Amino acid sequence: MLLNKWAKWFGLVMVAFLVGVPVFAVSQAEELPEYTLLGQYKKAPPYKIGFSQHLSGIDWTTQWQREFELQAEMYKKAGIISEYYIVSCMGDPSKQIADIEDLLAKGVDALIISPSSPTALIPLIDRIYDEGKIPVIITHAPYDGHKYSAMIMSDDYDFGRKGAMWLVEKLTEKYGKPKGKIIVLEGIPGAGCNEARWTRGAKPIFEQYPEIQIVGIGAGDWDYAKAKAVAESLVAANPEIDGVWTAGGQMTLAVLDVFLEMGRPLVPMVGEDYNGLLKKWIQYKAQGFDTIAPCKPTWDSRMALDIAIYLLRGMTVKRYQVYETPYITWETVHKYVRPELPDYIWANTSLTDEELRELFGLKK
Amino acid sequence: MKLLSRLSRRRFVGFFLLLGLMITLSIELPQFYAAQNLSNLLLRAVPLLCVALGQMIVILIAGIDLSVGATLSLATAIASHLMVRSIPLAILSILAAGMFIGLINGLGAVKAKINPFVMTFGTSSVLNGVTLYIRPSPGGYIPRVYVNTILAYWGSVPVGPLFILCLVLIVGFWLLYKTTYGRHLYAVGGNEEAARLAGINVAVCKILAYIVCGLFASLAGLYMTARIASGDPAVGGTFVLDSIGAVAVGGTALTGGRGTLWGTLFGVIIFSVLSNIFNLLNVNIYWQYVFKGLIVIGVVGFSQLKERK
């Protein structure tokens, strides 16, 4: 009897919820301006800045975050910033939503966000944008929403495309037409950056050429050790490989090391500005090794902070600032490589050797 | 004396910890009590409560479910494909998928006698693969009406999440304390042999616990679908350890047979409040992990120490 009574109440509540679902109008896609308005977010300094970043604890984000801190310290000394808060969600979109809400509760004057997912933050960022109280600047990673004050980052699709086109060119040089067998190492399947570089960037380029065969594909998780284990299997399973495409420089270095260990003839491999790869490029160039190094510069966190300050000072900025991926070629590699520093340094950085040594706890 | 002795029982440890935190916060962090912050806490507590309640039911029968995070991610992935066609169909499919996953876990752990840790870990891996297959990257479309309904606000009060929280608590209360099945759960977890001799179908009771756990995890997935307005293969990642931690801090014995709904609720609130105050206090993410781990060890260790006495 008691169970029946409870079941009835439960049923009633459910019916009330379903019937009482309020019907909201589906919002129409709005035309958003190309530039922010003059004085739109103007406030008197000093400002409190919140930075919600997607991942800590890997060498690239360590450098990138340091660049942000140095820039913020500079503004702090000048009396423009009073406080800055950095929170990291360690790749978890639900934690990032909570992190951003906490930064809002702290009363920040501007938010800088590197999204851990291109879609998960859209409802929250849309709401902040619609309230119009503080500027929201998106940086570093692909974001599918449209409501933001500014977006500043290098183009990951372009990153994938440029490397793939370079490899197609190398294969054409070898066979007289786009043809050959290649292996591919993705980053983390499902990660926004991987989707941009591989699924939406490089893969469609290779698909245009039916005579280019992808004979092996694996996920190296942007980790040298994992990539090496995967590359060992792929290289061993394929006696004939004409080229390599990877979603990151540490993975290219892993494949190159496998080729060297197995005594295989070196082939063109798409890389990145990973210091270890640049060093080996110089070392093995004479033996026929060639690469190209698209870069995701670690200094784009400084630019994101600069834009936040411009907006708070009332200036107008272009909302969409996704810049073309810079890349290092054989002609420029000597300008970027840091021969005295370890492999894990990312070369397209504005940090000095001294700052890098201090950051990574290296003795001179 | 009697009251003191009752209050010092393990299930109240979580309550005291929460009380201590609140008092400290009221002195140190006035923004903690701001309406916006309290609303934030509610928004993030809802999915963890759903998952933790399911986890608690499995732990009550001395099991464990490591696939709750993967179930949650899968739910958002299914929603991102189906909701555009029909919201009720998507909801029913997701809840059915959660129950089916629970059934597989239950059959593996109970009938095939595979260790629940290994069984649910294996299921989790399978589900991660399936989720990536159907949703290789975050995205898809979630109708605005669904998002606005689940996350409905009345002024600054998030009435949608509040309603779901109350609903989950009512269902949990009803299931644990007002049904024969609830009593069976405690009996089976407390002493399986005695429960069998008392005529309880132990196998069915255990399998049902995994099904309920899968159902709650998929419910959390439905809520997260609204929160992120998309499908995301990575969104369930942290829910496994957080749910086990919240249940343990809430005083549920990991050996089964003992635990309360209110204890789990306190555990969930503590976990939600902890991340919140760490961010408000600007504590580095690395230290957040350290403190969170130490609090779980401290609270559970203290409870067990009291128990041995």
Side-chain angles (χ1 to χ4, degrees), chain A residues 289-317:
Chain A
F289 174 63
D290 206 359
T291 184
I292 186 172
C295 313
K296 194 153 181 78
T298 60
W299 38 258
D300 72 4
S301 55
R302 291 184 192 253
M303 290 167 66
L305 179 57
D306 287 345
I307 287 175
I309 301 297
Y310 298 156
L311 288 168
L312 289 169
R313 304 213 88 164
M315 292 162 73
T316 177
V317 303

Side-chain angles (χ1 to χ4, degrees), chain A residues 151-305:
Chain A
M151 177 186 274
I152 173 84
M153 66 181 77
S154 67
D155 189 346
D156 273 311
Y157 309 116
D158 191 43
F159 183 112
R161 273 196 305 266
K162 253 180 192 147
M165 283 160 70
W166 174 84
L167 189 56
V168 169
E169 209 177 285
K170 289 287 158 189
L171 294 172
T172 309
E173 275 174 26
K174 185 177 177 184
Y175 290 110
K177 60 178 176 174
K179 179 188 167 183
K181 293 178 176 170
I182 63 168
I183 61 168
V184 167
L185 256 78
E186 294 185 56
I188 299 172
C193 182
N194 186 64
E195 293 311 303
R197 288 182 184 183
W198 169 240
T199 315
R200 292 191 251 174
K203 199 176 168 194
I205 299 285
F206 294 130
E207 281 170 352
Q208 288 172 24
Y209 305 101
E211 287 190 68
I212 294 180
Q213 287 177 56
I214 299 171
V215 292
I217 185 162
D221 294 1
W222 284 295
D223 177 76
Y224 175 85
K226 168 103 192 271
K228 199 168 177 202
V230 175
E232 278 163 357
S233 313
L234 292 177
V235 175
N238 293 287
E240 204 183 315
I241 297 171
D242 299 305
V244 177
W245 184 93
T246 82
Q250 65 283 70
M251 299 196 290
T252 311
L253 180 63
V255 183
L256 174 61
D257 285 346
V258 169
F259 267 70
L260 291 168
E261 282 163 22
M262 290 188 177
R264 297 278 289 264
L266 299 177
V267 296
M269 299 181 188
V270 176
E272 201 181 358
D273 58 326
Y274 192 64
N275 199 38
L277 182 66
L278 301 189
K279 287 196 272 185
K280 283 221 164 122
W281 188 2
I282 294 166
Q283 189 181 349
Y284 289 99
K285 176 73 177 172
Q287 293 174 39
F289 174 63
D290 206 359
T291 184
I292 186 172
C295 313
K296 194 153 181 78
T298 60
W299 38 258
D300 72 4
S301 55
R302 291 184 192 253
M303 290 167 66
L305 179 57

Side-chain angles (χ1 to χ4, degrees), chain B residues 158-230:
Chain B
V159 285
L162 194 62
F163 175 78
I164 296 168
L165 186 101
C166 294
L167 190 69
V168 170
L169 283 175
I170 290 169
V171 172
F173 185 80
W174 169 73
L175 189 70
L176 287 170
Y177 305 123
K178 298 292 173 187
T179 63
T180 314
Y181 177 67
R183 288 191 288 278
H184 287 181
L185 277 172
Y186 283 95
V188 169
N191 188 331
E192 208 174 304
E193 195 48 40
R196 187 174 288 117
L197 290 173
I200 296 171
N201 190 334
V202 172
V204 170
C205 179
K206 284 180 148 186
I207 292 170
L208 270 176
Y210 284 99
I211 293 174
V212 172
C213 184
L215 182 70
F216 275 115
S218 58
L219 193 66
L222 280 169
Y223 176 83
M224 284 309 294
T225 300
R227 197 139 149 81
I228 63 178
S230 57

